[in-house]
C-alpha cells in the first residue's frame, strides 16, 4: 500500500490512507451534490459593528434596565424563599 503525504489531524507526513480515504479517492463525487454541508443563508449582514444612534442607545439601555430589575427581583425572591424555608425548618425542629 502506498504512503501518501496529506494533512490529517494537522500533521503533515507519510501516513497510510484509511479505507474511507481510499474509497473516496476511487469513486467520483455525484454531479448533483458537491458538498454535504447545508446551503448557507446569503442574507446581507452588516460587515462591521456600527455606532448606535440615539434611539438604538435608548432601547439598549431600556433593555438592560429591565433585565437588571428582573434579575434583582429573582435574587430577592430566591433569598426570601430560602429564609422562609429555613424558619419553617427550624420551627419544625423545635416542635
Amino acid at each position: 500500500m502506498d504512503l501518501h503525504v496529506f494533512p490529517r489531524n494537522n500533521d503533515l507526513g507519510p501516513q497510510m490512507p484509511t479505507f474511507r480515504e481510499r474509497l473516496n479517492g476511487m469513486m467520483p463525487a455525484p454531479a448533483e451534490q458537491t458538498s454535504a454541508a447545508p446551503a448557507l443563508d446569503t442574507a446581507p449582514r452588516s460587515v462591521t459593528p456600527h455606532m448606535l444612534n440615539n434611539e438604538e442607545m435608548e432601547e439598549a439601555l431600556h433593555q438592560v434596565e429591565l433585565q437588571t430589575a428582573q434579575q434583582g427581583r429573582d435574587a430577592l425572591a430566591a433569598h426570601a424563599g430560602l429564609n422562609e424555608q429555613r424558619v419553617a425548618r427550624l420551627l419544625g425542629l423545635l416542635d
Side-chain angles (χ1 to χ4, degrees), residues 46 48-53 56:
S46 61
T48 58
H50 66 282
M51 293 295 293
L52 300 177
N53 59 26
E56 292 172 334

Side-chain angles (χ1 to χ4, degrees), residues 6-86:
F6 55 89
R8 185 191 303 151
N9 297 332
N10 296 324
D11 184 26
L12 286 176
Q15 299 178 4
M16 299 291 287
T18 63
F19 175 75
R20 176 65 60 188
E21 290 167 344
R22 284 184 284 136
L23 187 64
N24 289 342
M26 289 186 289
M27 300 180 68
E32 67 273 358
Q33 182 183 6
T34 58
S35 175
L40 296 176
D41 183 23
T42 58
R45 296 182 183 176
S46 61
V47 177
T48 58
H50 66 282
M51 293 295 293
L52 300 177
N53 59 26
N54 287 339
E55 293 86 21
E56 292 172 334
M57 182 65 72
E58 289 175 5
E59 179 64 28
L61 288 175
H62 182 67
Q63 288 176 356
V64 168
E65 289 172 354
L66 290 176
Q67 289 175 354
T68 304
Q70 181 62 37
Q71 289 173 355
R73 286 191 296 271
D74 292 344
L76 184 61
H79 288 295
L82 286 176
N83 290 338
E84 291 174 5
Q85 290 173 355
R86 287 180 183 156

